């Protein structure tokens, strides 16, 4: 009888110990049931990778309301967007979670949500979870980029390419490009692109805004804006429509406005009203100025055209 009481006592002690162990809070590493692989935001036809941005948001708060402003982009204006999170459970099975625009996103079900130590570069890359070629991320091919204000713009395509290789997101400052083309004025970065359907679109970012390159094809690789066979060429040496030089003034007072004129080229066309405001300078106050532009198409001979102030230059 005494042995039975000891056995029961030992069993009760072991059971109590086991139950107390099971009742302990789960380790932080084991929170949730799914590991996030990748996330995309948009519609079936137009969507962008937002894994990095989602990771930043997760570190700030467990819950957030889904909006375009949250990701800093509207990949398909006028249509309701969806956030798709591709994840894998503890048994290796993949699962997709969807949140419609303005829904609340709660990361409690995802492992390591708040720490942001998730996101598999080899995870599903497409809208339907297929492992798409990473070269096809984004919907817009960058042709070229300019930075400035009121017609005082400089070509920053090469510099932007270098920056894109280092970081997915950039905060726009003069120091970033190493130039202030118009001191005292708020500058704008204009990125000229062509979408997959062939239509051209310009993205504008004001000084101090953040640029997220997820929507651009090949952003981090920098294989854009060079006229390669991966996309169209930008105006400039080696391109089809080339602005060689441009000057604006009257008599003996002229200023070089080549970069400002190049920044106004759209595709292979130039439609430019000539005015002091357009170039941000009046080189000969009180006199009527003239814009002189030398241009060429491909390897054809150069041509020079002159247009008076308050007229419009159209090429070709």
């Amino acid at each position: 009888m005494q042995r039975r009481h000891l056995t029961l006592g030992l069993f009760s002690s072991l059971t109590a110990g086991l139950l107390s162990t099971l009742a302990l809070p789960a380790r932080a590493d084991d929170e949730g049931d799914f590991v996030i692989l990748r996330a995309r935001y948009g519609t079936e036809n137009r969507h962008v990778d937002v894994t990095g941005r989602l990771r930043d948001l997760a570190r700030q708060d467990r819950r957030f309301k889904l909006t375009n402003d949250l990701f800093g982009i509207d990949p398909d204006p006028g249509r309701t967007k969806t956030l798709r999170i591709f994840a894998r459970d503890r048994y290796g099975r993949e699962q997709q979670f969807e949140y419609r625009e303005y829904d609340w996103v709660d990361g409690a079900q995802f492992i390591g949500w708040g720490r942001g130590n998730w996101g598999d570069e080899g995870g599903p890359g497409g809208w339907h979870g297929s492992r798409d070629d990473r070269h096809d991320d984004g919907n817009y091919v960058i042709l070229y980029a300019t930075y400035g204000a009121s017609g005082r713009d400089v070509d920053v395509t090469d510099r932007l390419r270098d920056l894109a290789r280092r970081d997915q997101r950039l905060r726009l400052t003069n120091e970033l490009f190493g130039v202030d083309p118009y001191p005292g004025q708020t500058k704008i970065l204009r990125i000229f692109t062509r979408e997959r359907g062939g239509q051209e679109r310009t993205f504008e970012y004001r000084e101090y805004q953040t640029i997220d390159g997820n929507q651009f094809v090949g952003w981090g690789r920098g294989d854009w804006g060079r006229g390669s066979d991966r996309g169209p060429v930008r105006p400039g040496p080696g391109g089809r429509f080339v602005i060689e030089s441009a000057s604006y003034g009257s008599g003996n007072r002229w200023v070089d406005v080549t970069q400002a004129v190049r920044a106004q080229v759209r595709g292979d066309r130039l439609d430019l009203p000539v005015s002091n405001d357009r170039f941000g300078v009046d080189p000969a106050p009180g006199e009527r100025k003239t814009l002189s532009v030398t241009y060429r198409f491909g390897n054809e001979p150069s041509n020079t055209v002159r247009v008076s102030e308050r007229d419009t230059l159209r090429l070709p």
Side-chain angles (χ1 to χ4, degrees), residues 97-142:
F97 297 84
E98 288 196 358
Y99 304 87
R100 289 173 63 85
E101 198 170 354
Y102 305 117
D103 281 349
W104 283 91
V105 180
D106 191 330
Q109 61 190 318
F110 300 115
I111 297 173
W113 171 262
R115 297 186 305 280
N117 56 349
W118 41 258
D120 180 6
E121 292 298 325
W127 186 246
H128 297 288
S130 60
R131 296 177 182 272
D132 293 347
D133 185 347
R134 300 290 299 171
H135 287 278
D136 289 334
D137 280 358
N139 293 297
Y140 302 92
V141 177
I142 297 177

Side-chain angles (χ1 to χ4, degrees), residues 55-71:
R55 188 182 299 115
D56 292 340
L57 293 168
R59 289 192 176 111
Q60 298 170 21
D61 200 351
R62 184 169 291 276
R63 298 179 72 244
F64 58 83
K65 190 174 184 181
L66 187 59
T67 64
N68 294 322
D69 294 339
L70 203 65
F71 293 113

Side-chain angles (χ1 to χ4, degrees), residues 151-279:
R152 296 187 185 180
D153 298 274
V154 293
D155 189 305
V156 293
T157 311
D158 293 336
R159 175 59 177 160
L160 184 62
R161 186 187 303 112
D162 292 339
L163 293 167
R165 287 195 178 108
R166 302 176 193 174
D167 200 352
Q168 189 75 21
R169 303 177 75 240
L170 308 169
R171 188 167 184 266
L172 189 58
T173 63
N174 295 322
E175 289 75 16
L176 200 66
F177 294 113
V179 63
D180 185 347
Y182 200 159
Q185 296 292 319
T186 300
K187 268 67 67 178
I188 295 176
L189 171 69
R190 292 183 174 89
I191 300 178
F192 301 89
T193 71
R194 182 168 294 154
E195 63 177 319
R196 295 180 185 274
Q199 294 183 329
E200 294 187 0
R201 177 175 173 181
T202 302
F203 293 84
E204 293 191 353
Y205 302 88
R206 293 175 65 85
E207 197 170 355
Y208 305 117
Q209 280 189 327
T210 299
I211 309 163
D212 192 330
N214 278 320
Q215 61 194 317
F216 302 117
V217 176
W219 172 262
R221 297 184 307 278
D223 54 354
W224 40 259
R226 283 177 168 165
S228 67
D229 57 1
R230 295 186 57 80
V233 293
R234 73 178 189 211
R240 183 185 173 196
F241 180 40
V242 180
I243 300 294
E244 294 185 340
S245 64
S247 56
Y248 178 63
S250 176
N252 296 323
R253 300 178 181 178
W254 293 80
V255 293
D256 188 303
V257 292
T258 305
Q259 294 293 345
V261 173
R262 286 176 178 167
Q264 301 302 315
V265 175
R266 304 292 183 269
D268 286 334
R269 293 183 177 277
L270 177 63
D271 193 336
L272 177 63
V274 180
S275 67
N276 296 327
D277 293 338
R278 178 66 61 172
F279 300 116

